[in-house]
Amino acid sequence: MALEVVTFGCRLNIVESEAIRERALAAGLDDLAVVNSCAVTSEATRQARQAIRRLKREQPSRPVVVTGCAAQIEPARFAAMPETARVLGNAEKMKPGTWAALARSNSLLGDAEAAADAKIAVSDIMAQTILSDARTGRFAAHTRGFVQVQNGCDHRCTFCVIPFGRGNSRSLALTEAVAQCRRLSEAGAREIVLTGVDLTSYGRDLRDAPTLGRLVRAILRALPELPRLRLSSIDAVEVDDELCEAIAIEPRLMPHLHLSLQSGDDLILKRMKRRHGREDAVRFCAEMRSLRPDIVFGADLIAGFPTEDEAMFSRSLSLVEECGLSFVHVFPYSPRPGTPAARMPQLPGGIVSERAGRLREAARDAHRRHLDARLGRPLSVLTERGNTGRAEDFTLVRFQHDVAPGEIVAVAAEAADEKALIAA
């Protein structure tokens, strides 16, 4: 048996899972299962519970530790599961001492008779005010590294529970963020991705309030040997002027932005308590294209938000084309306990599913157009494991021959399937 870490949710969780793996192994916990959960939807929470049961069924003698946002928000629910040995909060999971203490524990197996309260180690996440614990991730046979430069969120969108799992916004000091990027670059990462819960709020809690744009420029100046720097999901209304300048003039800042849009209807956006309107999104995409003609956009969109009627939904549907989105993540709305949206008039589940299906179809059509437009064009691709790679605009490329990870190669694909370009 060996340590197994099962991860749900965002890139931030992926980064933290790698840190969990390192710290658990350093503590000698090489016979353990860890579920790093997500709470963004009820389906994500259901999948985490399902994984816990599966892990225990497959290896009954191996303890299962549960952590992540769902565990932070609903610790008692997970502790009540007989398969669970411990429930750790999001702050606790990142502390090396937590895993060392678990290694010394004589009751880690936590059977069905164990008191649920005794299994829980979850502190008040809102009490966390500093992001000082460096969190990076680079994985075996991968050539992309991740640096967590921000955590938490100060906004309170009516559908979202993540601030209650992650706490308020806090940022990694600029010098430390640059140092982490340098370590990854020296370890061989050819691309670094900056991650966070609300990435464009970076720096507001720091003494000199550096912006995300300032951080990007500092990293590129400090690491002239780094071929690629990429951003994870951003909020367009928070993009600062220096970041716009970097997008325009820095070729090593990848021309791909994933936007937190959520809806294309102004009234729904207001009920979501978002900070932008439909025209803000359309205008932002147009302005970024004027600065960087090769830029590509992805976005998150929610289908079936409470009170959404067909006309409102149609405005989300048309936003895919109006913003020129190429990568769309579709989320069927699901009520999260304790959020204002959960108290709003809900749509029937069938309508939510049907609208999510139509939005996914529009997303597939948009992605197919994106792929077709790149056929025969020269692309710079960073190769990864499994004979795949990513172009600068995040287009997936599959090679029909063996390629070694970590090379940047020029290709011109002549074919495509539903998800990727095919390079001979």
Side-chain angles (χ1 to χ4, degrees), residues 194-338:
L194 303 183
T195 68
V197 174
D198 183 23
L199 186 61
T200 34
S201 71
Y202 172 82
R204 293 176 187 171
D205 58 311
L206 299 177
R207 185 172 58 183
D208 56 346
T211 63
L212 180 61
R214 179 176 161 191
L215 173 63
V216 164
R217 299 295 295 274
I219 292 168
L220 293 172
R221 281 196 304 269
L223 301 175
E225 73 281 6
L226 177 68
R228 295 182 169 197
L229 181 66
R230 193 181 296 277
L231 304 178
S232 63
S233 180
I234 65 169
D235 195 332
V237 297
E238 294 180 326
V239 170
D240 63 278
D241 290 343
E242 196 163 3
L243 182 55
C244 289
E245 182 181 358
I247 290 168
I249 68 173
E250 293 284 5
R252 290 184 294 143
L253 180 59
M254 294 296 93
H256 168 252
L257 296 176
H258 190 85
L259 309 177
S260 178
L261 297 183
Q262 311 307 346
S263 176
D265 180 79
D266 283 335
L267 183 55
I268 291 296
L269 288 167
K270 184 176 181 180
R271 289 171 178 167
M272 287 178 168
K273 207 175 177 181
R274 299 293 295 166
R275 296 164 305 287
H276 72 275
R278 176 193 181 84
E279 288 308 311
D280 295 323
V282 175
R283 182 171 57 252
F284 175 81
C285 291
E287 289 175 351
M288 291 302 101
R289 282 196 179 93
S290 70
L291 296 175
R292 185 82 172 261
D294 61 339
I295 201 163
V296 168
F297 297 101
D300 296 328
L301 290 173
I302 295 173
F305 187 80
T307 76
E308 179 188 76
D309 61 23
E310 182 61 28
M312 293 169 173
F313 171 71
S314 69
R315 285 187 274 276
S316 287
L317 203 60
S318 63
L319 194 68
V320 175
E321 186 169 346
E322 289 192 44
C323 283
L325 304 178
S326 298
F327 303 91
V328 181
H329 293 171
V330 177
F331 296 88
Y333 173 78
S334 61
R336 309 304 290 131

Side-chain angles (χ1 to χ4, degrees), residues 395-422:
T395 303
L396 178 64
V397 178
R398 290 197 179 98
F399 292 89
Q400 293 182 308
H401 58 277
D402 290 341
V403 293
E407 301 294 329
I408 295 179
V409 299
V411 303
E414 299 297 335
D417 59 23
E418 290 186 356
K419 295 184 178 179
L421 296 173
I422 309 300

